[in-house]
PDB file of all heavy atoms in Angstrom:
ATOM      1  N   TYR F  24       7.784  19.503   7.597  1.00  0.00           N
ATOM      2  CA  TYR F  24       8.269  18.431   8.462  1.00  0.00           C
ATOM      3  C   TYR F  24       9.634  18.814   9.025  1.00  0.00           C
ATOM      4  O   TYR F  24      10.331  19.689   8.497  1.00  0.00           O
ATOM      5  CB  TYR F  24       8.344  17.101   7.708  1.00  0.00           C
ATOM      6  CG  TYR F  24       9.679  16.781   7.059  1.00  0.00           C
ATOM      7  CD1 TYR F  24      10.549  15.857   7.632  1.00  0.00           C
ATOM      8  CD2 TYR F  24      10.071  17.412   5.877  1.00  0.00           C
ATOM      9  CE1 TYR F  24      11.763  15.559   7.039  1.00  0.00           C
ATOM     10  CE2 TYR F  24      11.286  17.121   5.281  1.00  0.00           C
ATOM     11  CZ  TYR F  24      12.132  16.187   5.859  1.00  0.00           C
ATOM     12  OH  TYR F  24      13.340  15.914   5.278  1.00  0.00           O
ATOM     13  N   ILE F  25       9.997  18.141  10.124  1.00  0.00           N
ATOM     14  CA  ILE F  25      11.354  18.268  10.657  1.00  0.00           C
ATOM     15  C   ILE F  25      11.941  16.879  10.872  1.00  0.00           C
ATOM     16  O   ILE F  25      11.219  15.892  11.058  1.00  0.00           O
ATOM     17  CB  ILE F  25      11.423  19.063  11.978  1.00  0.00           C
ATOM     18  CG1 ILE F  25      10.701  18.323  13.107  1.00  0.00           C
ATOM     19  CG2 ILE F  25      10.910  20.479  11.803  1.00  0.00           C
ATOM     20  CD1 ILE F  25      11.064  18.846  14.498  1.00  0.00           C
ATOM     21  N   ASP F  26      13.260  16.833  10.860  1.00  0.00           N
ATOM     22  CA  ASP F  26      14.007  15.606  11.136  1.00  0.00           C
ATOM     23  C   ASP F  26      15.358  16.033  11.715  1.00  0.00           C
ATOM     24  O   ASP F  26      15.686  17.233  11.726  1.00  0.00           O
ATOM     25  CB  ASP F  26      14.174  14.799   9.847  1.00  0.00           C
ATOM     26  CG  ASP F  26      14.824  13.451  10.090  1.00  0.00           C
ATOM     27  OD1 ASP F  26      14.564  12.856  11.157  1.00  0.00           O
ATOM     28  OD2 ASP F  26      15.595  12.990   9.221  1.00  0.00           O
ATOM     29  N   PHE F  27      16.106  15.076  12.222  1.00  0.00           N
ATOM     30  CA  PHE F  27      17.422  15.374  12.793  1.00  0.00           C
ATOM     31  C   PHE F  27      18.463  14.497  12.123  1.00  0.00           C
ATOM     32  O   PHE F  27      18.420  13.274  12.230  1.00  0.00           O
ATOM     33  CB  PHE F  27      17.406  15.140  14.306  1.00  0.00           C
ATOM     34  CG  PHE F  27      16.470  16.063  15.032  1.00  0.00           C
ATOM     35  CD1 PHE F  27      15.167  15.686  15.307  1.00  0.00           C
ATOM     36  CD2 PHE F  27      16.879  17.332  15.391  1.00  0.00           C
ATOM     37  CE1 PHE F  27      14.290  16.536  15.948  1.00  0.00           C
ATOM     38  CE2 PHE F  27      16.011  18.210  16.024  1.00  0.00           C
ATOM     39  CZ  PHE F  27      14.707  17.803  16.301  1.00  0.00           C
ATOM     40  N   ILE F  82       5.005  18.040  10.666  1.00  0.00           N
ATOM     41  CA  ILE F  82       5.042  16.590  10.836  1.00  0.00           C
ATOM     42  C   ILE F  82       6.377  16.231  11.502  1.00  0.00           C
ATOM     43  O   ILE F  82       7.449  16.584  10.990  1.00  0.00           O
ATOM     44  CB  ILE F  82       4.888  15.863   9.493  1.00  0.00           C
ATOM     45  CG1 ILE F  82       3.603  16.329   8.784  1.00  0.00           C
ATOM     46  CG2 ILE F  82       4.867  14.350   9.697  1.00  0.00           C
ATOM     47  CD1 ILE F  82       3.507  15.885   7.342  1.00  0.00           C
ATOM     48  N   LEU F  83       6.288  15.550  12.629  1.00  0.00           N
ATOM     49  CA  LEU F  83       7.478  15.185  13.412  1.00  0.00           C
ATOM     50  C   LEU F  83       7.640  13.670  13.416  1.00  0.00           C
ATOM     51  O   LEU F  83       6.659  12.929  13.256  1.00  0.00           O
ATOM     52  CB  LEU F  83       7.320  15.629  14.874  1.00  0.00           C
ATOM     53  CG  LEU F  83       6.767  16.998  15.215  1.00  0.00           C
ATOM     54  CD1 LEU F  83       6.489  17.081  16.704  1.00  0.00           C
ATOM     55  CD2 LEU F  83       7.766  18.061  14.795  1.00  0.00           C
ATOM     56  N   PRO F  84       8.855  13.172  13.664  1.00  0.00           N
ATOM     57  CA  PRO F  84       8.964  11.753  14.007  1.00  0.00           C
ATOM     58  C   PRO F  84       8.098  11.482  15.242  1.00  0.00           C
ATOM     59  O   PRO F  84       7.986  12.335  16.127  1.00  0.00           O
ATOM     60  CB  PRO F  84      10.446  11.575  14.329  1.00  0.00           C
ATOM     61  CG  PRO F  84      11.138  12.739  13.691  1.00  0.00           C
ATOM     62  CD  PRO F  84      10.156  13.871  13.736  1.00  0.00           C
ATOM     63  N   GLY F  85       7.458  10.325  15.297  1.00  0.00           N
ATOM     64  CA  GLY F  85       6.625  10.015  16.449  1.00  0.00           C
ATOM     65  C   GLY F  85       7.413  10.104  17.748  1.00  0.00           C
ATOM     66  O   GLY F  85       8.577   9.698  17.817  1.00  0.00           O
ATOM     67  N   PHE F  86       6.775  10.633  18.788  1.00  0.00           N
ATOM     68  CA  PHE F  86       7.433  10.721  20.088  1.00  0.00           C
ATOM     69  C   PHE F  86       7.643   9.323  20.671  1.00  0.00           C
ATOM     70  O   PHE F  86       6.824   8.408  20.470  1.00  0.00           O
ATOM     71  CB  PHE F  86       6.595  11.550  21.056  1.00  0.00           C
ATOM     72  CG  PHE F  86       6.522  13.016  20.727  1.00  0.00           C
ATOM     73  CD1 PHE F  86       5.302  13.672  20.689  1.00  0.00           C
ATOM     74  CD2 PHE F  86       7.672  13.737  20.470  1.00  0.00           C
ATOM     75  CE1 PHE F  86       5.223  15.022  20.391  1.00  0.00           C
ATOM     76  CE2 PHE F  86       7.614  15.095  20.169  1.00  0.00           C
ATOM     77  CZ  PHE F  86       6.382  15.740  20.131  1.00  0.00           C
ATOM     78  N   ILE F  87       8.724   9.178  21.437  1.00  0.00           N
ATOM     79  CA  ILE F  87       9.077   7.896  22.059  1.00  0.00           C
ATOM     80  C   ILE F  87       9.201   8.109  23.561  1.00  0.00           C
ATOM     81  O   ILE F  87       9.929   8.988  24.005  1.00  0.00           O
ATOM     82  CB  ILE F  87      10.408   7.358  21.494  1.00  0.00           C
ATOM     83  CG1 ILE F  87      10.389   7.351  19.959  1.00  0.00           C
ATOM     84  CG2 ILE F  87      10.690   5.957  22.043  1.00  0.00           C
ATOM     85  CD1 ILE F  87      11.765   7.168  19.332  1.00  0.00           C
ATOM     86  N   GLY F 142       0.605  11.849  20.478  1.00  0.00           N
ATOM     87  CA  GLY F 142       1.657  11.682  19.478  1.00  0.00           C
ATOM     88  C   GLY F 142       2.753  10.717  19.869  1.00  0.00           C
ATOM     89  O   GLY F 142       3.819  10.692  19.238  1.00  0.00           O
ATOM     90  N   THR F 144       4.225   7.273  19.741  1.00  0.00           N
ATOM     91  CA  THR F 144       4.064   6.121  18.854  1.00  0.00           C
ATOM     92  C   THR F 144       4.812   4.889  19.325  1.00  0.00           C
ATOM     93  O   THR F 144       4.562   3.784  18.827  1.00  0.00           O
ATOM     94  CB  THR F 144       4.516   6.483  17.433  1.00  0.00           C
ATOM     95  OG1 THR F 144       5.872   6.964  17.474  1.00  0.00           O
ATOM     96  CG2 THR F 144       3.617   7.571  16.840  1.00  0.00           C
ATOM     97  N   PHE F 370      13.522  18.518  21.004  1.00  0.00           N
ATOM     98  CA  PHE F 370      12.789  17.633  20.097  1.00  0.00           C
ATOM     99  C   PHE F 370      13.677  16.494  19.588  1.00  0.00           C
ATOM    100  O   PHE F 370      13.175  15.391  19.334  1.00  0.00           O
ATOM    101  CB  PHE F 370      12.202  18.432  18.932  1.00  0.00           C
ATOM    102  CG  PHE F 370      10.908  19.114  19.294  1.00  0.00           C
ATOM    103  CD1 PHE F 370      10.907  20.380  19.865  1.00  0.00           C
ATOM    104  CD2 PHE F 370       9.692  18.493  19.079  1.00  0.00           C
ATOM    105  CE1 PHE F 370       9.726  21.011  20.217  1.00  0.00           C
ATOM    106  CE2 PHE F 370       8.491  19.115  19.427  1.00  0.00           C
ATOM    107  CZ  PHE F 370       8.513  20.371  19.999  1.00  0.00           C
ATOM    108  N   ALA F 373      13.369  13.865  22.290  1.00  0.00           N
ATOM    109  CA  ALA F 373      12.078  13.162  22.323  1.00  0.00           C
ATOM    110  C   ALA F 373      11.887  12.214  21.151  1.00  0.00           C
ATOM    111  O   ALA F 373      10.919  11.446  21.144  1.00  0.00           O
ATOM    112  CB  ALA F 373      10.943  14.186  22.338  1.00  0.00           C
ATOM    113  N   THR F 374      12.799  12.259  20.184  1.00  0.00           N
ATOM    114  CA  THR F 374      12.645  11.445  18.976  1.00  0.00           C
ATOM    115  C   THR F 374      13.916  10.627  18.723  1.00  0.00           C
ATOM    116  O   THR F 374      14.082   9.551  19.312  1.00  0.00           O
ATOM    117  CB  THR F 374      12.296  12.337  17.769  1.00  0.00           C
ATOM    118  OG1 THR F 374      13.296  13.374  17.614  1.00  0.00           O
ATOM    119  CG2 THR F 374      10.939  13.019  17.957  1.00  0.00           C
ATOM    120  N   ARG F 375      14.815  11.137  17.929  1.00  0.00           N
ATOM    121  CA  ARG F 375      16.007  10.363  17.567  1.00  0.00           C
ATOM    122  C   ARG F 375      16.870  10.039  18.783  1.00  0.00           C
ATOM    123  O   ARG F 375      17.417   8.928  18.890  1.00  0.00           O
ATOM    124  CB  ARG F 375      16.830  11.135  16.534  1.00  0.00           C
ATOM    125  CG  ARG F 375      18.069  10.384  16.088  1.00  0.00           C
ATOM    126  CD  ARG F 375      18.797  11.065  14.942  1.00  0.00           C
ATOM    127  NE  ARG F 375      20.032  10.348  14.625  1.00  0.00           N
ATOM    128  CZ  ARG F 375      20.804  10.602  13.564  1.00  0.00           C
ATOM    129  NH1 ARG F 375      20.441  11.551  12.712  1.00  0.00           N
ATOM    130  NH2 ARG F 375      21.903   9.912  13.346  1.00  0.00           N
ATOM    131  N   ILE F 387      13.189   3.736  14.191  1.00  0.00           N
ATOM    132  CA  ILE F 387      12.273   4.815  14.569  1.00  0.00           C
ATOM    133  C   ILE F 387      13.068   6.052  14.982  1.00  0.00           C
ATOM    134  O   ILE F 387      14.280   6.008  15.149  1.00  0.00           O
ATOM    135  CB  ILE F 387      11.330   4.382  15.721  1.00  0.00           C
ATOM    136  CG1 ILE F 387      12.138   3.956  16.962  1.00  0.00           C
ATOM    137  CG2 ILE F 387      10.402   3.264  15.271  1.00  0.00           C
ATOM    138  CD1 ILE F 387      11.269   3.644  18.181  1.00  0.00           C
ATOM    139  N   GLY F 388      12.346   7.172  15.140  1.00  0.00           N
ATOM    140  CA  GLY F 388      12.978   8.394  15.633  1.00  0.00           C
ATOM    141  C   GLY F 388      13.362   9.389  14.567  1.00  0.00           C
ATOM    142  O   GLY F 388      13.811  10.482  14.880  1.00  0.00           O
ATOM    143  N   ARG F 389      13.187   9.002  13.289  1.00  0.00           N
ATOM    144  CA  ARG F 389      13.512   9.903  12.185  1.00  0.00           C
ATOM    145  C   ARG F 389      12.448   9.807  11.109  1.00  0.00           C
ATOM    146  O   ARG F 389      11.686   8.833  11.044  1.00  0.00           O
ATOM    147  CB  ARG F 389      14.869   9.550  11.568  1.00  0.00           C
ATOM    148  CG  ARG F 389      16.071   9.734  12.486  1.00  0.00           C
ATOM    149  CD  ARG F 389      17.343   9.751  11.661  1.00  0.00           C
ATOM    150  NE  ARG F 389      17.332  10.872  10.722  1.00  0.00           N
ATOM    151  CZ  ARG F 389      18.114  10.935   9.636  1.00  0.00           C
ATOM    152  NH1 ARG F 389      18.964   9.956   9.344  1.00  0.00           N
ATOM    153  NH2 ARG F 389      18.042  11.987   8.826  1.00  0.00           N
ATOM    154  N   ILE F 390      12.426  10.805  10.232  1.00  0.00           N
ATOM    155  CA  ILE F 390      11.636  10.747   9.004  1.00  0.00           C
ATOM    156  C   ILE F 390      12.633  10.709   7.864  1.00  0.00           C
ATOM    157  O   ILE F 390      13.147  11.736   7.427  1.00  0.00           O
ATOM    158  CB  ILE F 390      10.678  11.947   8.881  1.00  0.00           C
ATOM    159  CG1 ILE F 390       9.734  12.008  10.082  1.00  0.00           C
ATOM    160  CG2 ILE F 390       9.880  11.850   7.584  1.00  0.00           C
ATOM    161  CD1 ILE F 390       8.786  13.207  10.074  1.00  0.00           C
ATOM    162  N   ASP F 397       6.226   6.280  11.497  1.00  0.00           N
ATOM    163  CA  ASP F 397       5.566   6.721  12.726  1.00  0.00           C
ATOM    164  C   ASP F 397       5.731   8.234  12.835  1.00  0.00           C
ATOM    165  O   ASP F 397       6.871   8.725  12.889  1.00  0.00           O
ATOM    166  CB  ASP F 397       6.202   6.076  13.956  1.00  0.00           C
ATOM    167  CG  ASP F 397       6.000   4.569  14.028  1.00  0.00           C
ATOM    168  OD1 ASP F 397       5.158   4.040  13.277  1.00  0.00           O
ATOM    169  OD2 ASP F 397       6.689   3.922  14.845  1.00  0.00           O
ATOM    170  N   PHE F 398       4.603   8.969  12.921  1.00  0.00           N
ATOM    171  CA  PHE F 398       4.672  10.427  12.931  1.00  0.00           C
ATOM    172  C   PHE F 398       3.680  11.018  13.927  1.00  0.00           C
ATOM    173  O   PHE F 398       2.625  10.449  14.188  1.00  0.00           O
ATOM    174  CB  PHE F 398       4.328  11.013  11.547  1.00  0.00           C
ATOM    175  CG  PHE F 398       4.948  10.310  10.386  1.00  0.00           C
ATOM    176  CD1 PHE F 398       4.153   9.717   9.411  1.00  0.00           C
ATOM    177  CD2 PHE F 398       6.323  10.234  10.254  1.00  0.00           C
ATOM    178  CE1 PHE F 398       4.709   9.066   8.327  1.00  0.00           C
ATOM    179  CE2 PHE F 398       6.898   9.578   9.176  1.00  0.00           C
ATOM    180  CZ  PHE F 398       6.087   8.984   8.206  1.00  0.00           C
ATOM    181  N   ALA F 399       4.042  12.178  14.443  1.00  0.00           N
ATOM    182  CA  ALA F 399       3.106  13.034  15.178  1.00  0.00           C
ATOM    183  C   ALA F 399       2.946  14.322  14.378  1.00  0.00           C
ATOM    184  O   ALA F 399       3.949  14.920  13.959  1.00  0.00           O
ATOM    185  CB  ALA F 399       3.636  13.344  16.575  1.00  0.00           C
TER     186      ALA F 399
END
Side-chain angles (χ1 to χ4, degrees):
Y24 92 103
I25 66 164
D26 186 35
F27 296 93
I82 305 168
L83 316 170
F86 291 131
I87 309 166
T144 56
F370 278 88
T374 55
R375 181 173 176 171
I387 58 175
R389 295 197 62 199
I390 302 178
D397 294 346
F398 317 119

